[in-house]
Amino acid sequence: MVRGRTVALVALGFVLACARAQALEWQYCEGAEDHEAEVDFVTMSPDPALAGGEITVHIGGTIERKILGGALHLTVFFHKVPVYKEEDDLCDRTNCPAQGNFEVLAKQKLPSFTLPGDYQLKISAEDPDKKELVCVMLDLQIKR
């Protein structure tokens, strides 16, 4: 009986954790109609994000040609003003070489002094020759 309850509690915890990773409203960046990668989904957990906590953004899609490397750019905007920028090796955030289906995971710890409010996150990726592969903008909310 106790074992059955434990399994049920673990299953409930898993369902609740999955429910917290919700699909976000996102769009391709303005002027990025000529991108090579197609994005199928963008999720963020937790949503809304909490100041001082960690957020995970998960992007999935497809790309036709083989990508051996490149850069991932993250820019956070608060009231349309860039407040944070980061550049990472693309292969640190996805499996390289990438071709066909891909997934990108971006985890970030938010500073505890982050102001609550509505933010935008711009995520773009480029190949080693600086050719843009994809660019998306998503809206996110940060609470205390």
Side-chain angles (χ1 to χ4, degrees):
M1 183 72 165
V2 172
R3 184 171 177 240
R5 286 185 186 169
T6 303
V7 170
L9 286 175
V10 169
L12 178 62
F14 178 75
V15 169
L16 290 174
C18 289
R20 291 191 52 99
Q22 300 176 19
L24 294 174
E25 292 293 321
W26 64 272
Q27 63 275 348
Y28 290 107
C29 299
E30 207 171 298
E33 294 82 18
D34 194 24
H35 55 267
E36 290 189 56
E38 294 294 325
V39 174
D40 297 326
F41 67 86
V42 179
T43 62
M44 184 181 81
S45 176
D47 185 15
L50 299 174
E54 183 176 87
I55 64 168
T56 301
V57 177
H58 183 201
I59 300 171
T62 56
I63 189 157
E64 294 301 316
R65 75 176 166 104
K66 187 182 284 187
I67 303 301
L68 301 174
L72 184 72
H73 303 278
L74 304 160
T75 306
V76 178
F77 297 88
F78 186 60
H79 297 286
K80 299 187 180 188
V81 175
V83 294
Y84 178 79
K85 289 185 180 186
E86 180 178 325
E87 180 179 324
D88 292 320
D89 185 305
L90 183 60
C91 295
D92 288 344
R93 303 291 182 127
T94 192
N95 292 328
C96 288
Q99 186 175 16
N101 293 333
F102 71 87
E103 293 187 15
V104 175
L105 274 176
K107 291 184 179 192
Q108 188 67 45
K109 172 100 166 116
L110 298 175
S112 58
F113 57 82
T114 303
L115 295 174
D118 295 325
Y119 288 77
Q120 281 192 305
L121 175 61
K122 177 181 178 181
I123 302 173
S124 63
E126 63 187 21
D127 69 12
D129 296 324
K130 307 283 187 211
K131 182 172 183 338
E132 187 171 83
L133 303 170
V134 70
C135 181
V136 295
M137 292 285 288
L138 53 117
D139 296 321
L140 61 108
Q141 187 177 53
I142 297 178
K143 295 191 174 207
R144 287 220 176 259

